[in-house]
Amino acid sequence: MAATTCVSWRRWGALLALSLSLSSTLTACGFHLRGEGGHYTLPFPSLYVGLPESSPLAIDLKRNIRANGGTTVVANAKDADGVIDVLSDPEKTRSKSILSLNSNGRVREYLLAYTIMFRVLDRQGNELLPATTISLNRPITFNETQLLAKEREEALLYKDMQTDLVQQMMRRIAAVKPVQMSVPPASRQ
């Protein structure tokens, strides 16, 4: 009995050693989770978000910007170091289209779409990130006998797409390199 326990402890120890060596290999190669836990270093001390105040996307985006701690959200574009200029409001362009029909000609699946087009400008109006489109699609099955549940599932999918959209926008904004204004050397007289 004691020999069996000793063997199981050795196996457990070997398994632990293997998992530790694999995890140290991952960290040694520079592996880390995308966005370092959802935090991004934004290149602007202050940002203006060009969406209506009541927009769920604007609320979520501003919350994510504030959560990073290094950037404040301002209410006026003139006071901002960076401007997120939204060219197409996803709340107005989100769509639901028929993806497939069953043998009786009734809807079996829908395709939900959520799209935004935006660009990033600096204080002087220079375009730091050209017009960028992010499009997200999610299929959803449909069953008329479960109408309320499917409506709730659709709302949850749109909320999930909004969260994904905000994270993709944050990554793109974090990658922006602001234009550095060079000061000419003082002329010698």
Side-chain angles (χ1 to χ4, degrees):
M1 182 76 127
T4 314
T5 305
C6 184
V7 171
S8 65
W9 279 106
R10 285 183 185 161
R11 284 186 183 164
W12 184 83
L15 183 61
L16 180 63
L18 177 64
S19 63
L20 285 174
S21 67
L22 285 175
S23 64
S24 65
T25 303
L26 280 177
T27 56
C29 75
F31 174 81
H32 57 84
L33 295 175
R34 179 171 60 186
E36 298 174 11
H39 295 285
Y40 306 95
T41 304
L42 299 177
F44 305 104
S46 62
L47 266 174
Y48 171 78
V49 178
L51 282 168
E53 287 290 320
S54 61
S55 165
L57 179 66
I59 293 167
D60 202 11
L61 183 59
K62 289 175 183 179
R63 184 180 310 124
N64 273 272
I65 292 169
R66 288 183 186 113
N68 286 306
T71 303
T72 58
V73 178
V74 296
N76 188 347
K78 293 177 183 172
D79 300 332
D81 296 305
V83 175
I84 301 171
D85 184 21
V86 178
L87 305 173
S88 70
D89 187 355
E91 300 303 321
K92 296 177 182 173
T93 59
R94 74 182 196 178
S95 65
K96 177 180 176 182
S97 58
I98 296 172
L99 187 60
S100 66
L101 302 171
N102 65 15
S103 60
N104 296 330
R106 294 189 178 158
V107 175
R108 182 186 313 171
E109 286 182 305
Y110 285 105
L111 183 66
L112 306 178
Y114 206 63
T115 303
I116 189 170
M117 180 186 281
F118 71 101
R119 64 184 179 160
V120 177
L121 308 171
D122 67 3
R123 184 182 292 262
Q124 291 77 27
N126 298 320
E127 191 175 67
L128 302 177
L129 179 66
T132 302
T133 302
I134 301 173
S135 295
L136 302 172
N137 298 306
R138 301 284 192 278
I140 181 173
T141 59
F142 182 73
N143 185 344
E144 63 248 2
T145 62
Q146 300 173 342
L147 192 57
L148 292 176
K150 289 300 177 179
E151 286 177 358
R152 179 72 180 138
E153 182 182 359
E154 180 180 327
L156 287 172
L157 282 172
Y158 275 124
K159 179 65 178 156
D160 178 58
M161 285 192 285
Q162 175 184 309
T163 302
D164 191 12
L165 192 71
V166 166
Q167 291 303 310
Q168 288 192 37
M169 288 178 73
M170 292 291 289
R171 283 193 296 275
R172 284 174 171 84
I173 295 167
V176 167
K177 303 292 184 224
V179 176
Q180 297 295 325
M181 301 297 272
S182 61
V183 179
S187 58
R188 297 180 188 175
Q189 295 179 340

